[in-house]
Structures are given as C-alpha cells and as structure tokens.
Amino acid sequence: MAELCVHLVPLFNALPTNDQMQIEELVHHQNYQKSELVMDPTSSNNLVIVAHGGARLYTLDENGRENVTQILKTGDYAGENWLFGEANINTYVEATENSEICLLNRNEFLALMKKKPELSIQLLEQNIIKVRAMHRQIQLLSLPKVEDRLLSYLQTYAKQVNKNSFTLPLKMKDLALYLGTTPETLSRKFVLLEKQGTLKRKLRHIDLF
Amino acid sequence: MAELCVHLVPLFNALPTNDQMQIEELVHHQNYQKSELVMDPTSSNNLVIVAHGGARLYTLDENGRENVTQILKTGDYAGENWLFGEANINTYVEATENSEICLLNRNEFLALMKKKPELSIQLLEQNIIKVRAMHRQIQLLSLPKVEDRLLSYLQTYAKQVNKNSFTLPLKMKDLALYLGTTPETLSRKFVLLEKQGTLKRKLRHIDLF
DNA sequence: AGCAGAAATTGACGACCATCAAGAAAAAAG
DNA sequence: CTTTTTTCTTGATGGTCGTCAATTTCTGCT
C-alpha cells in the first residue's frame, strides 16, 4: 500500500503525525482511466494528489483551445489554492494514464479545521514562518549586486544564530542558487569580501567582522 | 482616539471588520516612557504595534553588546513571528521616546483562534495566497535575464486573466521594481520583445503572441 | 591510504545591465 | 488649452556577472 498521500504535500508533512492521520482519513483514493476527467470547474474544490500515474492541468482559452498549465507525475500534487480559499474557475484536471489519485475535499477539510482549531493554527504557524523566509529571499534577490546579496545573507544568518562565527548550512552550489547566482561568481565574491577584510573564511566556516 | 491598531498589520487588515473587532478587543494599549523596556525574552510573546512614538529592537550578542535589529516608528509593528509559533529567545524591545504601544498577547490570541476557528482559517487562506504570489516572484527573480523575467511575468499574467490581450496593472516603475530591474532596462526589453514579434504594445496595453 | 567522483576555484571573455544624463511623451494641474 | 510635473524612452559607458574550460581541492568509498 502507498504511503500517506498527505505526506507528499509539504504544507502537511511537517505536521504532527496525529494531525496528518486526521487529514489522511478525509482523503478519497480513487482510480482513474487514461483520459478520464478528474476535476473541472463545476466540481467542488479539491486538492489533487497523484499517488501513482500522471495527470495534466489545462484551461480553456476564449477560443475553446486547451492550454496545458501543469503536468503531474507520481508524487506531484496541485490545488493547494483551491483547498484554501480560491475557487477553481477555469482549470480541468485529466488523467494522462491509468492512475491512482487522491482527492482532499475543501469542504470536508474546512469542517475538520473547524472541529480541530489546532490544525489550522499549526498550518498557519508554519505558513507564517515560510512567508518570512520567502520575504527575506525576495529582498535578497532584489539587490542588484551579488556581493550585496551575499553579505546581506551572511549578516542575516549571523543575526539568526546570534554569532559572528559560524558554519554555512548550505553548500556553495545551493547557496548560489538561493542567491540567484552561480557557484563561480559566489566563489569570487567570497575572496573579494575576504580581501576587503569583511570576513575570514576556511571552507564553509565563516568569521564575520 | 487612534484607529484600530490591528489595521496597521497587513495580515489582519484584510480580514472582515467583524474579525478585526474581535482581535482589537484583545489588544492592550499601554504607554511607555522613553527608554522603558516593552518586551524581553522572559516576557510572554506579543505582537508589538507602535500606535504613537518609537521603539527599537535589539539583541545581546555573546559579549553582552547591544545589537539593534529594527527600528519602529509610529504605525510600525514587530513580532508577527512571536505571535505565530516562534519563541522570542533573544530580542528586547525598548521605547525610544514616550510612546503608546499596543500589545497583542500570543496566548490570548491563540485562545481566540481556538474559540473562533474561522479566524485562523481566514488567516490561513490569506497566507496561502501570499505564499503563492511570493513563490512566483522568487521564481521570476531567479531568472538571470531581465528579458526572461519580463516574458515569464507577462505569460503568467496572461494565464491569470486568461487573455492574451490585456492592460498591465502596474506602472513601468513598479513593474521594474517587481522584476528586480530598472525602468530603463525594462523599457528596452519591451522594444526588444516587440522587435522579436513576441508581443505588441501600446502604452500599457499588451498583445501577447 | 588511495582512488574516483563531486565540489569548489580560477582565468578569460563577452553579453548583459545599472547608471547617468538628456530628451520625448503622457498625465495632471491650472 | 497651456503649463507643469510625472512617467517613459533613448543613448553612451563602464562595471558586473554568466559561461565555458581547465585545475585544484574535498569527500566518500573500498
């Protein structure tokens, strides 16, 4: 048997197992044939999790032409926004092969949240943290110079761990990605900052001045 | 008398007035003298809203030196993270002048959310939408070329309104900021895309091909 | 330890873009 | 309608950064 479907959704998988079980109980596992329609704008809103198989999302434009917006394969999901507030006004979901697909119904989920307020509070807390992290990243990425982005990142991180001497939690490659640059440029910027006397570095260990 | 304090917090001010009133009832308005400590790590967690005056946030580093992290003036607030989950472990809030400061206590707020599940659901819905918007923006900003960022933005927007012919909701200046570039570069990119035949533009009206 | 594969660095080069400044076009004000 | 102000465009220039390729350093594995 498959894992818990809710495990596949990042928003859920950090929840206490207890809460996850409660959500899992709401999930409708269903099998769909290839080309079968899973959802359309007239359906009630659902979170769609592809437990096994594949699906595609598409909209119809003003001329009635299909416009594929997303492809889902095993383990992917869509419709977080339909689960939380937004109505699905123009999107169709269709199985691209014989698939096992899990649906989590908005109304049932709302009912659960009303019955167990801790659940929505948990989700909210998690989300707020995420928003703050994303906000920081946007501010970083908005800085035109990589040098500034790096320094800002390091200072923020130093503040976070409340130390001026620390070990980077990311590899260069990932830090580069996070800062919207390349490992090469990042490397150069490190030596630049070191030359400027802003920091001292040995591998991934940083001393910030 | 002042406006509702909760109005100042973006997370709250889109809520139905009804919900806002309930939150407002929890708010403790208090007056602080210059240099008086509003919060420290031993206090229970609060959202801090400066209704009138000023305050500063600081942490103490390993040597006991103060490290100012944020300055609040009238209308600013801090501690969204303390209200929602994260504990305040090292931050002090101090009034920088005689101030009227509103505190929203975490425990009281939690109690309200448990009593009125709709409130946290509302907040959650709002947050999810925000996360999605921010996620899009991060993806955009991660594209190295302004040209790609612009095109991606336009395509996403077209998909959103489900039309290939639309009027931009932002002025050039703001769009430039959103895309992490300057109005000048943005302008050039528009003519470039137009030359390529990717779009046609007249002022802020776009036809996408 | 020693080897293999990955990760990080360095150099050279060219494209891209921010900046400054000036001009044109549109919007707002009178 | 005219004037004023704001917004947008265009040009020239220099710095920044991404790309490709080669080398060095690090890490995991047996």
Side-chain angles (χ1 to χ4, degrees):
Chain A
M1 190 50 204
E3 293 282 322
L4 298 185
C5 284
V6 293
H7 236 89
L8 301 169
V9 183
L11 186 64
F12 294 143
N13 72 15
L15 289 178
T17 317
N18 182 25
D19 289 341
Q20 284 193 32
M21 295 299 291
Q22 292 191 317
I23 298 176
E24 183 71 20
E25 279 174 26
L26 293 182
V27 170
H28 302 277
H29 298 258
Q30 283 188 255
N31 288 305
Y32 290 88
Q33 304 292 321
K34 174 171 175 165
S35 301
E36 196 177 345
L37 210 55
V38 178
M39 279 189 60
D40 67 63
T42 67
S43 336
S44 64
N45 292 323
N46 292 297
L47 181 76
V48 179
I49 308 173
V50 178
H52 186 78
R56 67 192 184 104
L57 277 72
Y58 64 88
T59 60
L60 296 178
D61 66 16
E62 59 255 55
N63 307 317
R65 276 174 42 89
E66 291 186 4
N67 209 312
V68 175
T69 56
Q70 212 176 338
I71 298 290
L72 305 180
K73 46 189 192 338
T74 300
D76 293 339
Y77 70 96
E80 212 177 60
N81 45 335
W82 302 327
L83 197 56
F84 299 100
E86 272 178 39
N88 171 15
I89 45 176
N90 58 13
T91 302
Y92 298 77
V93 182
E94 182 192 288
T96 51
E97 47 188 299
N98 295 348
S99 304
E100 184 187 348
I101 293 180
C102 307
L103 297 178
L104 179 54
N105 183 267
R106 171 170 158 79
N107 291 328
E108 294 175 4
F109 186 66
L110 278 178
L112 176 62
M113 286 199 294
K114 278 181 187 153
K115 209 172 65 186
K116 302 275 181 185
E118 302 80 10
L119 177 57
S120 52
I121 293 174
Q122 283 265 12
L123 288 171
L124 184 57
E125 289 182 355
Q126 226 189 293
N127 236 248
I128 299 267
I129 292 171
K130 195 160 151 194
V131 165
R132 289 175 53 82
M134 290 173 101
H135 186 70
R136 268 204 302 276
Q137 192 179 0
I138 288 176
Q139 284 185 321
L140 274 184
L141 290 173
S142 296
L143 296 172
K145 297 172 68 175
V146 173
E147 189 183 332
D148 294 338
R149 278 176 256 169
L150 173 56
L151 192 55
S152 176
Y153 170 81
L154 292 175
Q155 287 168 343
T156 304
Y157 188 75
K159 195 178 290 175
Q160 203 176 311
V161 297
N162 208 31
K163 277 185 259 170
N164 283 329
S165 182
F166 52 85
T167 301
L168 286 176
L170 281 69
K171 324 185 168 183
M172 290 301 228
K173 201 171 76 172
D174 297 323
L175 180 56
L177 205 66
Y178 178 78
L179 295 178
T181 184
T182 60
E184 293 96 324
T185 300
L186 186 57
S187 175
R188 292 179 227 273
K189 289 310 169 187
F190 264 119
V191 311
L192 178 70
L193 289 177
E194 205 163 357
K195 237 178 234 163
Q196 288 182 354
T198 315
L199 59 83
K200 230 168 75 180
R201 179 180 60 133
K202 197 170 193 182
L203 258 314
R204 235 169 275 159
H205 187 83
I206 311 283
D207 286 282
L208 209 55
F209 304 129
Chain B
M1 190 50 206
E3 294 282 321
L4 297 185
C5 285
V6 292
H7 236 89
L8 300 169
V9 183
L11 187 64
F12 295 143
N13 72 14
L15 289 178
T17 318
N18 182 26
D19 289 342
Q20 284 192 34
M21 294 301 288
Q22 291 191 317
I23 299 175
E24 183 70 21
E25 278 173 27
L26 293 183
V27 169
H28 302 277
H29 298 257
Q30 285 187 252
N31 288 305
Y32 290 88
Q33 303 292 321
K34 176 172 174 164
S35 302
E36 195 177 347
L37 209 53
V38 178
M39 279 188 60
D40 67 62
T42 67
S43 336
S44 63
N45 291 325
N46 291 298
L47 181 76
V48 179
I49 308 173
V50 177
H52 187 78
R56 68 191 183 106
L57 277 69
Y58 64 88
T59 59
L60 296 180
D61 67 15
E62 58 255 55
N63 306 318
R65 277 174 40 89
E66 292 187 4
N67 208 312
V68 175
T69 57
Q70 213 177 338
I71 298 291
L72 306 179
K73 46 188 194 337
T74 300
D76 293 338
Y77 70 97
E80 212 176 61
N81 45 335
W82 303 327
L83 196 57
F84 299 102
E86 272 177 39
N88 171 15
I89 45 175
N90 58 12
T91 303
Y92 298 76
V93 182
E94 180 192 288
T96 51
E97 47 188 299
N98 295 348
S99 303
E100 183 188 348
I101 292 180
C102 308
L103 297 179
L104 178 54
N105 182 266
R106 171 171 159 78
N107 292 328
E108 293 176 4
F109 186 65
L110 279 178
L112 175 61
M113 286 200 293
K114 279 183 187 152
K115 209 172 66 186
K116 302 276 181 184
E118 302 81 11
L119 177 58
S120 52
I121 293 174
Q122 284 264 11
L123 287 171
L124 184 56
E125 290 183 354
Q126 226 190 294
N127 236 250
I128 298 268
I129 292 170
K130 195 160 151 194
V131 166
R132 289 174 54 81
M134 291 174 101
H135 186 71
R136 269 204 301 277
Q137 192 179 359
I138 287 176
Q139 284 185 321
L140 274 184
L141 290 173
S142 295
L143 296 172
K145 297 172 67 174
V146 172
E147 190 183 332
D148 296 337
R149 277 177 256 170
L150 173 56
L151 193 55
S152 176
Y153 170 81
L154 292 175
Q155 288 169 343
T156 303
Y157 189 76
K159 193 179 289 176
Q160 202 176 311
V161 298
N162 209 30
K163 278 186 258 171
N164 283 329
S165 183
F166 52 85
T167 301
L168 287 175
L170 280 70
K171 318 186 173 184
M172 290 300 231
K173 201 171 74 173
D174 297 322
L175 181 56
L177 205 66
Y178 178 78
L179 295 179
T181 183
T182 59
E184 293 96 324
T185 299
L186 186 57
S187 175
R188 292 178 229 271
K189 289 310 170 187
F190 264 120
V191 311
L192 178 70
L193 290 176
E194 206 162 357
K195 239 178 232 163
Q196 289 182 352
T198 315
L199 57 82
K200 231 169 75 180
R201 179 182 60 136
K202 198 171 191 179
L203 257 316
R204 234 170 277 158
H205 187 83
I206 310 283
D207 287 283
L208 209 54
F209 303 130

